Amino acid sequence: MTILISQPELSEDRKDNYDAKELVLDGGFVVPNKTEAFDAPEINSFGNSFRDYNAESERQKTVEEFYRQQHTNQTYDYVTKMREEYGKLDKAVMSIWDCCELLNDVVDDSDPDLDEPQIQHLLQSAEAIRKDYPDEDWLHLTALIHDLGKVLLLPQFGQLPQWAVVGDTFPLGCAFDESNVHHKYFKNNPDFKNPDYSSKNGIYKEGCGLDNVVISWGHDDYMYLVAKENGTTLPHAALFIIRYHSLYPLHKAGAYKHLMNKEDEEDLKWLNIFNKYDLYSKSKVLVDVDEVKPYYQSLIKKYFTETLRW
């Protein structure tokens, strides 16, 4: 059976805002300049600027050590192996909401902005988007599920090391762009000295499309595989957000855009909108889970089957 899924479109007024009346936030994220829109704070819950990887703190030391390990171990061959293993989707059978609740046991060591359980970050992002984009229910659900792949840190899913699950992602099979956080540690990566991967395009052709590019393995790609292979009816833009929301060299610095195709360019507009809420909604103010649960369960029922293979 073929399922036709309509792609979301920015309304004409939002297209105008996006193209001509941009609000450029810290990190380069472009979001519509809307009246009474989400108010992005200037500092994170630790009192530092968001995504400040140089601020002196014990947590920053943890973050830098994380990136040393990630940049050393994430290779083209490693990602190929992990996609084959986890593409089997044989680790669990459960609902989306059951997976959300599992994230109560997860804290992301790569995140310099937050040390709260991940389910709170998901709900904070989703509720902020819901307020500003009440008619885009697919975007609300995308915010709720975008980090569910972090269950890879739990024993049932292999208990992968943090460097194999979280943190900024980056393409493999081509040169490591200098906009990558803690770029200096790539010199320890075996791919760094591979001549086939040393040029800007590497093994790819310009404009080949990000779906044809191997990206470092983590929760983004895993959740993308789970959603896609379980037949979600979310639009392609949602899958793009899930798969590339940690690809900060692209949507922060504009790196790797030469590998994008036309569909990627359209989807990137929605990712730029989403990332404002993904980053700046991190807060110590917690969402009442029981209050919002019925709404998000209704969206899960709309876009997913009751249970999924993970």
Side-chain angles (χ1 to χ4, degrees):
M1 179 177 68
T2 301
I3 300 175
L4 299 179
I5 304 173
S6 60
Q7 284 291 85
E9 296 183 359
L10 289 171
S11 62
E12 289 303 316
D13 60 324
R14 288 180 179 173
K15 284 182 180 179
D16 291 341
N17 283 339
Y18 184 90
D19 295 333
K21 300 178 181 178
E22 305 173 331
L23 173 63
V24 181
L25 298 174
D26 179 40
F29 306 134
V30 183
V31 298
N33 187 1
K34 299 175 65 216
T35 303
E36 298 183 353
F38 173 75
D39 186 17
E42 296 182 357
I43 59 173
N44 63 19
S45 54
F46 297 102
N48 299 319
S49 299
F50 282 87
R51 286 182 59 82
D52 184 350
Y53 291 92
N54 297 313
E56 291 295 331
S57 70
E58 287 303 314
R59 185 155 182 82
Q60 292 298 337
K61 293 176 183 177
T62 300
V63 171
E64 180 165 355
E65 173 57 20
F66 162 86
Y67 278 107
R68 185 191 68 78
Q69 295 181 35
Q70 186 209 45
H71 292 353
T72 300
N73 293 296
Q74 288 269 6
T75 65
Y76 186 96
D77 289 344
Y78 173 78
V79 174
T80 301
K81 175 184 174 182
M82 299 304 283
R83 293 198 95 236
E84 180 179 357
E85 169 62 24
Y86 282 90
K88 299 173 185 176
L89 301 180
D90 59 358
K91 302 298 184 285
V93 176
M94 61 181 171
S95 69
I96 289 285
W97 191 262
D98 286 342
C99 190
C100 289
E101 292 182 337
L102 283 180
L103 287 193
N104 279 323
D105 297 326
V106 172
V107 173
D108 183 346
D109 281 349
S110 74
D111 192 338
D113 299 323
L114 190 66
D115 61 355
E116 295 293 338
Q118 290 297 301
I119 191 171
Q120 279 297 323
H121 165 53
L122 300 182
L123 289 171
Q124 288 167 355
S125 299
E127 285 293 283
I129 291 175
R130 182 181 174 189
K131 178 180 179 182
D132 286 355
Y133 292 85
D135 298 328
E136 307 292 347
D137 68 354
W138 67 271
L139 194 56
H140 311 164
L141 183 58
T142 300
L144 180 73
I145 70 173
H146 76 281
D147 274 349
L148 291 189
K150 290 181 181 180
V151 294
L152 291 172
L153 294 166
L154 302 177
Q156 183 178 357
F157 296 85
Q159 202 166 12
L160 297 182
Q162 290 260 343
W163 61 260
V165 180
V166 297
D168 291 9
T169 57
F170 46 87
L172 292 148
C174 59
F176 300 112
D177 191 87
E178 291 188 0
S179 63
N180 284 289
V181 173
H182 295 302
H183 178 271
K184 61 186 177 183
Y185 293 121
F186 282 121
K187 68 179 185 297
N188 301 322
N189 188 307
D191 288 359
F192 188 79
K193 297 180 180 179
N194 187 327
D196 292 336
Y197 304 156
S198 61
S199 67
K200 182 177 181 180
N201 288 342
I203 62 175
Y204 309 111
K205 292 184 179 180
E206 189 166 334
C208 64
L210 293 181
D211 282 349
N212 296 306
V213 176
V214 172
I215 307 293
S216 55
W217 174 253
H219 70 281
D220 312 61
D221 205 16
Y222 178 55
M223 188 59 211
Y224 163 78
L225 290 174
V226 169
K228 180 175 180 289
E229 297 304 318
N230 279 282
T232 182
T233 55
L234 284 169
H236 189 272
L239 295 178
F240 186 92
I241 289 170
I242 292 168
R243 194 175 193 184
Y244 302 116
H245 69 271
S246 299
L247 188 55
Y248 279 95
L250 173 69
H251 42 77
K252 175 184 177 183
Y256 305 111
K257 282 190 174 182
H258 60 286
L259 300 175
M260 295 171 58
N261 59 23
K262 294 296 184 182
E263 186 175 31
D264 294 333
E265 292 173 2
E266 290 301 310
D267 289 340
L268 183 60
K269 296 176 182 179
W270 283 108
L271 177 54
N272 281 330
I273 291 170
F274 169 83
N275 264 315
K276 171 191 174 185
Y277 300 89
D278 184 24
L279 176 61
Y280 293 101
S281 64
K282 297 171 184 177
S283 170
K284 291 289 187 180
V285 180
L286 304 184
V287 175
D288 185 332
V289 177
D290 291 335
E291 181 179 342
V292 301
K293 181 178 178 179
Y295 173 70
Y296 289 102
Q297 284 186 316
S298 73
L299 298 187
I300 292 168
K301 184 176 181 179
K302 178 178 179 179
Y303 290 105
F304 285 95
T305 55
E306 184 175 351
T307 59
L308 284 69
R309 293 180 298 115
W310 299 77

